[in-house]
Amino acid sequence: MELPIIDVILSYSLNKLELIAFIFAFILAIYRKPKIFSIAISAGVMSAGLALGDYLHSNVLSLLLIDDQIYYWYLVWAVFSLFQAFAVIGFHWLFGVMFSEQVKLVFITMAVNALLNTLMFIDRNIVALNFDSSPNEYSDDSWLLWDLYSIGINANLLFLALVLLSRGKLKGNVVWMFLLYCCCFAALSL
């Protein structure tokens, strides 16, 4: 399975860009006056989850055989998405902080991410929708929905990072949120 070097660099740097955006949103929420603890909690959980997920995939899953790595890859990310959403709820409850409008989008985005990762796991390992014994192992085996899943997951994280960095109120800005998501999706699909 050969990947072009540019794809590896781009996927690595996009993941790090999302991590840096979450860390930056955390720092901004802490040092802003007045402090926005709800966004700080969410951005902190998201950055810790991304860093822990990267560590798990690079140091723990890499110890498995390549077929086992491929098998568990998307399932682990689905569990991490759900874990992050529950961790955000738990920390809000622990600190007695009310949810901000941006944090409500965290739940929607992480639920969509968990769904997309679960669908990718099902497609890759259970159903094999392109009826191949090892589907989507090579780029010429992939199909349209696989690309939509992959772009959608990264667009969700990029969208979420941008929303947590936003300063204004989101209530009533559904059209602008949808356009921002479409821009994230379009930028990643180039």
Side-chain angles (χ1 to χ4, degrees), residues 80-136:
F80 261 98
S81 295
L82 290 176
F83 174 74
Q84 286 172 317
F86 286 120
V88 167
I89 292 171
F91 281 115
H92 274 79
W93 176 79
L94 182 68
F95 294 120
V97 176
M98 295 298 292
F99 297 121
S100 68
E101 293 296 318
Q102 288 94 334
V103 173
K104 292 175 184 175
L105 284 174
V106 169
F107 301 122
I108 295 168
T109 305
M110 296 319 293
V112 170
N113 263 7
L115 175 68
L116 289 174
N117 276 308
T118 303
L119 289 174
M120 289 173 76
F121 173 78
I122 290 169
D123 175 43
R124 173 66 183 84
N125 300 303
I126 297 172
V127 177
L129 294 178
N130 55 358
F131 304 109
D132 189 0
S133 61
S134 58
N136 303 315

